[in-house]
Amino acid sequence: MAKKNTEIKEVKREGGSIFRKLSKNPALIVILVVVVLAAALLGTYAYIYAGRKVYAYVKGTPIYNYEMSNEIVNQAEKNNVNLNSIGTDPKGAFVRYTLTNFAKRAVISRRLYYLMGIKDGFKCTKSDLDKALYEFRKNNTAGSDTPEKDFENELSIRGIGEKELKKILAEEVIANKEKDKITEKITITPEEVEKYYKEWSYAYTNDNKEDPQKVFKEKYDTIKNDALAMKKQDFLRKYTNKLIEDNKKDIVIDNRYKKFMRWVYKSLFNLAVPDQFKPGTV
């Protein structure tokens, strides 16, 4: 017990000694305060600056810029647009704007479906992820003599690494499971199949070079499945638009870095805020 009391007294003496030294040397106090303030300011700015990586928040969850860059490539492929050929003229600017808008709605809707899927208990298993990764590789490196190099190049074009790709694919798996749940009760009638075939028969008859009725009978199951898939896509398109509209209040296309920069421009310098720091719209 005596030893413990002695140790406590020693600590108190050491603490007192430090404060006595500081009180006798005001310059030391100033330096200490400056160091603490500088560390706090640097830490705060680092936290704010890190926010630039976020593109938007959906129901409080961050969507990162790399998710947008990846989706812009997806949208370019879907719309047969060569990103390298987009110019800086007004036409090129409009193409970029359109692709960005498509990508924005795609990443926002995917996150909404993902969150719904998580709530419904859906998961992305290792098998699910392996399959999704295999399909991605196949679609982007099929027939290549250097598949690994082409895979890396593809990731570079999208502005992501393999870790980010897996995160995106895992989210897509769960989102798609939710979409399947939403559309599982949709069916199609024989009349709808016939109507679909009349509109799209050229795709099954090599531009009507074959007998349409014969092809219809021979490929009926394929045509029916395709017609059902299109019906589900049409349903999901409308459902997605309503889903985004209903959740607008929980979608924020902004981040703490842009908010800070708006404050700097407006409050500190009384200047107009550049477009790059303004919040986006859904």
Side-chain angles (χ1 to χ4, degrees):
M1 185 70 179
K3 183 178 179 182
K4 185 176 181 181
N5 289 335
T6 302
E7 289 175 351
I8 292 172
K9 288 178 182 178
E10 287 296 327
V11 170
K12 286 182 177 179
R13 274 199 294 270
E14 287 177 7
S17 175
I18 291 171
F19 285 115
R20 279 197 298 273
K21 287 179 181 179
L22 287 174
S23 63
K24 291 178 181 179
N25 194 341
L28 213 60
I29 296 176
V30 172
I31 292 171
L32 184 61
V33 170
V34 169
V35 169
V36 171
L37 286 176
L41 287 172
L42 285 172
T44 300
Y45 184 73
Y47 170 75
I48 292 171
Y49 188 68
R52 77 194 190 284
K53 297 178 181 179
V54 175
Y55 174 75
Y57 288 92
V58 175
K59 289 184 174 292
T61 65
I63 291 177
Y64 293 96
N65 289 324
Y66 72 78
E67 296 177 73
M68 271 295 288
S69 66
N70 173 74
E71 190 57 39
I72 286 173
V73 175
N74 286 339
Q75 293 300 322
E77 291 177 352
K78 287 179 182 178
N79 293 279
N80 296 316
V81 175
N82 184 345
L83 288 173
N84 293 326
S85 67
I86 300 176
T88 56
D89 58 336
K91 182 180 177 181
F94 177 75
V95 171
R96 290 181 189 279
Y97 171 80
T98 302
L99 289 177
T100 300
N101 267 346
F102 286 161
K104 174 173 63 177
R105 294 186 72 81
V107 295
I108 287 173
S109 62
R110 183 178 68 210
R111 179 58 56 83
L112 289 171
Y113 282 118
Y114 166 78
L115 294 173
M116 291 166 65
I118 292 295
K119 189 175 180 181
D120 285 337
F122 291 124
K123 296 179 180 179
C124 177
T125 65
K126 184 180 183 303
S127 176
D128 290 331
L129 185 56
D130 288 345
K131 182 180 178 181
L133 189 57
Y134 169 79
E135 290 296 327
F136 180 89
R137 283 178 173 271
K138 185 178 75 172
N139 291 337
N140 291 285
T141 64
S144 170
D145 294 329
T146 55
E148 284 304 316
K149 182 179 179 181
D150 288 350
F151 176 67
E152 292 299 326
N153 287 341
E154 183 65 28
L155 294 185
S156 178
I157 290 169
R158 293 167 178 268
I160 58 176
E162 190 167 351
K163 180 181 177 181
E164 289 77 19
L165 173 64
K166 288 180 178 179
K167 179 181 179 298
I168 292 169
L169 293 177
E171 186 168 314
E172 283 181 351
V173 166
I174 294 175
N176 287 336
K177 287 183 179 183
E178 181 64 22
K179 290 177 183 179
D180 289 341
K181 173 180 177 287
I182 291 169
T183 60
E184 65 183 354
K185 293 182 179 179
I186 294 177
T187 58
I188 196 161
T189 66
E191 292 76 20
E192 288 175 312
V193 177
E194 289 183 19
K195 183 179 178 181
Y196 166 85
Y197 184 65
K198 285 179 181 178
E199 184 176 356
W200 299 95
S201 61
Y202 64 88
Y204 301 91
T205 60
N206 191 20
D207 285 333
N208 295 321
K209 292 177 182 177
E210 302 171 70
D211 180 10
Q213 289 306 312
K214 182 181 178 182
V215 171
F216 182 68
K217 290 178 181 179
E218 291 176 348
K219 299 182 179 179
Y220 182 80
D221 288 341
T222 299
I223 294 167
K224 179 182 177 181
N225 290 336
D226 291 346
L228 179 59
M230 180 171 283
K231 185 176 181 179
K232 287 183 177 183
Q233 287 175 6
D234 289 341
F235 174 85
L236 281 173
R237 191 176 298 110
K238 295 174 184 177
Y239 188 96
T240 299
N241 289 337
K242 187 174 186 303
L243 183 64
I244 293 175
E245 188 64 31
D246 290 346
N247 287 278
K248 262 188 175 180
K249 61 179 176 32
D250 294 317
I251 302 170
V252 179
I253 303 177
D254 202 1
N255 59 49
R256 59 177 178 264
Y257 177 68
K258 291 200 292 186
K259 289 178 181 178
F260 174 73
M261 293 307 295
R262 291 200 297 272
W263 175 79
V264 168
Y265 274 90
K266 291 171 69 175
S267 301
L268 289 187
F269 302 116
N270 195 28
L271 295 173
V273 177
D275 289 342
Q276 69 192 87
F277 298 125
K278 292 179 181 178
T281 56
V282 180

